[in-house]
Amino acid sequence: SEFGSIFGRVAPYMDTRSRLLKFKACLSGCCAGYVSSFFFDKRSDRYFSKDIHTLIHSIKAKIEKHGLIIVKADKGNSVVILYRSEYVTKMLDILSDRSKFKEVSEEHTLDRLRKFQSFLRYHHKKGVFSDFEYSDIFPTGTTIPTMYGLPKTHKPGVPL
């Protein structure tokens, strides 16, 4: 594969095993992201033969039928298949810990973002920030955070 070829060409230049493993993990993550983009993109039909397309859809159907979820493991370059209900239960257990999480009645992230952007625009027009500083600190492409849990396969009970 192309990713294997890249790894093979870069590996000799890594000066420590630790850096080599980090590079391998990073490259593996990129590869997984690249492959998963084909799985979930409706326009991906043109990238696969009809046989592969049928196989992907049958796998996805089996995953849904059996109530499963596939998630990346916390450590190592592996994935874990869990029952969706088990995953949701574990995530709700984490979220129910009031010492770590607080329930809010409304989501204010985007309001705060807009106010901050407005603040920056106003002060940029007043000359407080140079064009370079303004473009450097102005937030763009902001998304509301998403919570997810990575299974810790190296611990008993596979906590998230």
Side-chain angles (χ1 to χ4, degrees):
S1 84
E2 195 65 31
F3 286 99
S5 172
I6 292 170
F7 180 75
R9 287 182 283 172
V10 174
Y13 299 101
M14 294 290 152
D15 57 349
T16 64
R17 178 159 173 73
S18 173
R19 288 186 74 192
L20 180 66
L21 292 175
K22 285 179 184 176
F23 175 71
K24 184 178 180 183
C26 178
L27 191 62
S28 178
C30 290
C31 179
Y34 178 75
V35 170
S36 69
S37 70
F38 290 119
F39 279 90
F40 300 109
D41 185 0
K42 296 290 185 195
R43 297 168 290 158
S44 65
D45 297 355
R46 66 179 179 272
Y47 295 111
F48 295 112
S49 69
K50 189 167 179 82
D51 293 339
I52 299 294
H53 180 69
T54 304
L55 177 65
I56 290 169
H57 280 286
S58 69
I59 291 171
K60 286 168 81 174
K62 286 182 183 180
I63 289 170
E64 284 184 32
K65 176 183 174 189
H66 295 287
L68 301 173
I69 185 170
I70 300 174
V71 292
K72 187 175 185 242
D74 181 43
K75 292 190 176 185
N77 297 322
S78 58
V79 294
V80 178
I81 301 173
L82 297 168
Y83 286 105
R84 183 175 296 275
S85 59
E86 179 184 347
Y87 178 81
V88 169
T89 301
K90 288 181 179 187
M91 290 302 298
L92 290 174
D93 287 344
I94 292 169
L95 288 171
S96 66
D97 183 352
R98 296 295 177 214
S99 68
K100 295 179 183 170
F101 298 98
K102 175 182 160 185
E103 188 172 346
V104 293
S105 59
E106 295 179 37
E107 175 57 52
H108 297 287
T109 305
L110 293 177
D111 292 335
R112 289 180 181 159
L113 172 67
R114 285 187 208 100
K115 285 179 184 175
F116 183 63
Q117 288 173 330
S118 177
F119 171 85
L120 291 176
R121 274 190 217 99
Y122 174 80
H123 286 86
H124 177 247
K125 287 178 185 175
K126 294 287 185 187
V128 175
F129 303 117
S130 69
D131 289 343
F132 175 76
E133 290 170 326
Y134 176 74
S135 66
D136 196 36
I137 62 174
F138 191 85
T140 58
T142 307
T143 58
I144 295 175
T146 303
M147 178 153 179
Y148 59 92
L150 301 177
K152 296 179 185 236
T153 56
H154 57 284
K155 293 191 175 181
V158 191
L160 300 180

